[in-house]
Amino acid sequence: MRKRLFIDGDWVEAGEYRPLYAPYGGGQIAEIAYAGAAEVNLAIEAADKARPVMARMPAHERASILERLSVLIGEKAEECARLIALETAKPLKAARQEAARTVMTYKFAAEEARRIQGETIPMDAAPGGEDRIAYTIRQPIGVVAAITPFNFPMNLVAHKVGPAIAAGNTIVLKPAGQTPLTALLLAELLQQAGLPKGALNVVTGSGSAIGDRLVTDGRVKAVTFTGSPEVGIAIRHKAGIKKVTLELGSNSALIVDKGVDADAMMARAVTGAFSFAGQICISLQRIYVHEQLFDEFVRKFVAQTETLKLGDPLDPDTDVSALISSGDAERSMHWIEEARERGAVVATGGRREGNIVTPTVLLHVDPQASLSCKEAFAPIVMINKVASMEEAIREVNDSRFGLQAGIYTRDLGTALHAAEALEVGGVMINDIPTFRVDHMPYGGVKDSGIGREGVKYAVQEMTELKLVCFKR
């Protein structure tokens, strides 16, 4: 099955095609077009040509397109879920949840298209402002380059494409190399939904070759990227004065205070650590448990972990399947061994079966170990003992990342203090850091990125604020 590029409302041949293999089982799924400089330029040119069309389109028409898209995805939800499972090895039950969330994300985008608004400014609040009336409006920024990761190939694309269309922009989408199929399906569905040609263009292939051209081209006015800090920082340096939104991952942490009900939170915590084999930006990677609860918590966490079923992502009962590549599986095993050499105890897991790494729980991990300092993106979680909540907060903040954190506590004062003291973009009280719904503001501090997603907030990132002032 040969998959072409989608440019200016048409399917375009590329000069090169490469095979795409399934992470689980290794079978070939398709042949994917690899865009070169000429094709990327055509995509940007098409988006730039369509820019006035989208900018003039009334809000209700943009909303209607997004509403029709959400209906089409809903009608193909099972097909979408199976495609996600095939190209990512995401277990089918998680892939179905992603498809459902994608429908909701485009519904939110349709709603936001209808309520992009400014405000009136009381000009006479300042001397010299008398006899003036002023207000602000938000206008589309123009061509948006969207560069997306493999782990949520439909919903993270929706968080970029949905707000861009809602705001009246055009898009050049570069999906992750492992997950082009869902992005190309989106192009088909948006065409059916009535999106003007050129408003969405999908270019597949080499991230470095395509990404550099998108980031540096003067016709592209905004770049929205989800991926590694190293690539995100490079984009920031190359983008110049373009608007840039970066979501760069984390090593998200959970604090567990004394006195909480471990049973009530256990299934939730294990899900947060091992869902999609830990390949989630806010996957639960570090847990700091008060010493009074530590032994009980570890015992129950390990027992719950050992109930997870490993195997084929298309099996509806599978909980954990393969990592996205053999290289990631190998790196994960190196990190486990490094932590063990530094004194950590492997409470369960620590094995590899092909590209599957068994869900692994490590205790007493050295703060300098890779598992503590870096983003694992693997089914590995560390659990360390702390003597106080202050110690736990220090440990959480001792990180280059700051996307989201969670804390379970029965003490309101502790919760409020943690909400202020934790150096992250979002604090989940009495929940895991892996919680996200699609209309909330989402983004981090430090090396976790800049800007915010969540449809309303992404629309703000993808528009320009203009002041209009009348003098009587």
Side-chain angles (χ1 to χ4, degrees), residues 237-250:
H237 288 158
K238 294 173 183 175
I241 60 172
K242 290 180 173 66
K243 277 195 173 184
V244 177
T245 302
L246 303 175
E247 199 276 276
L248 306 180
S250 195

Side-chain angles (χ1 to χ4, degrees), residues 101 151-152 156 159 226 245-250 252 280-283 375 403-404 425-426 428 433-445 448 450-455 457-458 461:
R101 282 185 59 190
N151 57 334
F152 284 86
L156 288 184
H159 273 283
T226 300
T245 302
L246 303 175
E247 199 276 276
L248 306 180
S250 195
S252 296
I280 301 172
C281 296
I282 42 177
S283 180
E375 182 176 41
L403 187 48
Q404 291 192 167
M428 306 299 123
T434 322
F435 173 76
R436 182 183 182 185
V437 288
D438 296 291
H439 63 301
M440 75 185 209
Y442 177 79
V445 299
S448 285
I450 55 174
R452 291 294 181 269
E453 291 194 334
V455 181
Y457 306 93
E461 300 277 352

Side-chain angles (χ1 to χ4, degrees), residues 37-293:
E39 291 85 4
V40 176
N41 182 64
L42 283 174
I44 298 171
E45 189 175 88
D48 191 48
K49 184 174 65 177
R51 182 171 49 83
V53 177
M54 285 299 293
R56 289 193 300 266
M57 183 181 289
H60 70 86
E61 291 186 18
R62 302 196 302 270
S64 294
I65 290 169
L66 291 163
E67 287 166 351
R68 287 193 290 270
L69 175 63
S70 68
V71 170
L72 290 169
I73 294 172
E75 292 172 349
K76 291 180 173 286
E78 186 63 17
E79 177 185 338
C80 291
R82 289 188 170 273
L83 199 56
I84 291 167
L86 185 64
E87 66 180 356
T88 67
K90 178 174 287 189
L92 187 57
K93 53 188 171 184
R96 286 169 174 159
Q97 291 172 359
E98 180 177 349
R101 282 185 59 190
T102 302
V103 171
M104 181 60 69
T105 301
Y106 284 117
K107 285 182 178 179
F108 281 132
E111 293 168 3
E112 291 302 330
R114 289 188 166 97
R115 53 190 182 214
I116 299 171
Q117 57 194 11
E119 60 180 348
T120 57
I121 310 296
M123 299 300 287
D124 62 351
E130 298 87 353
D131 296 324
R132 285 174 171 81
I133 299 171
Y135 60 91
T136 61
I137 58 174
R138 286 196 168 272
Q139 295 182 310
I141 197 167
V143 179
V144 175
I147 306 172
T148 58
F150 74 85
N151 57 334
F152 284 86
M154 286 204 80
N155 198 42
L156 288 184
V157 166
H159 273 283
K160 300 180 188 305
V161 170
I165 293 172
N169 295 308
T170 60
I171 310 111
V172 180
L173 170 62
K174 163 61 181 78
Q178 181 59 40
T179 55
L181 301 181
T182 42
L184 294 168
L185 176 59
L186 172 68
E188 290 180 26
L189 297 180
L190 269 171
Q191 194 172 39
Q192 293 176 35
L195 189 70
K197 69 175 189 176
L200 173 69
N201 307 273
V202 182
V203 286
T204 55
S206 166
S208 57
I210 297 172
D212 280 354
R213 292 188 177 277
L214 291 176
V215 169
T216 56
D217 194 291
R219 292 165 293 182
V220 174
K221 300 304 180 184
V223 179
T224 173
F225 169 82
T226 300
S228 72
E230 292 73 24
V231 175
I233 291 168
I235 286 173
R236 179 71 168 159
H237 288 158
K238 294 173 183 175
I241 60 172
K242 290 180 173 66
K243 277 195 173 184
V244 177
T245 302
L246 303 175
E247 199 276 276
L248 306 180
S250 195
N251 55 356
S252 296
L254 173 68
I255 297 170
V256 182
D257 197 2
K258 61 185 177 182
V260 304
D261 183 350
D263 288 324
M265 62 173 290
M266 199 52 58
R268 182 86 173 133
V270 169
T271 297
F274 300 120
S275 182
F276 191 31
Q279 297 171 119
I280 301 172
C281 296
I282 42 177
S283 180
L284 176 52
Q285 183 173 325
R286 299 181 293 152
I287 306 177
Y288 299 98
V289 183
H290 194 281
E291 59 189 5
Q292 291 184 17
L293 190 63

Side-chain angles (χ1 to χ4, degrees), residues 17-49:
Y17 289 81
R18 296 186 191 178
L20 177 69
Y21 298 102
Y24 180 84
Q28 183 173 332
I29 306 170
E31 284 190 329
I32 304 300
Y34 265 58
E39 291 85 4
V40 176
N41 182 64
L42 283 174
I44 298 171
E45 189 175 88
D48 191 48
K49 184 174 65 177

Side-chain angles (χ1 to χ4, degrees), residues 257 407 409-422 427 429-430:
D257 197 2
I407 178 170
T409 180
R410 289 182 170 179
D411 186 277
L412 179 59
T414 298
L416 292 172
H417 173 61
E420 289 192 5
L422 289 168
V427 178
I429 296 170
N430 290 330

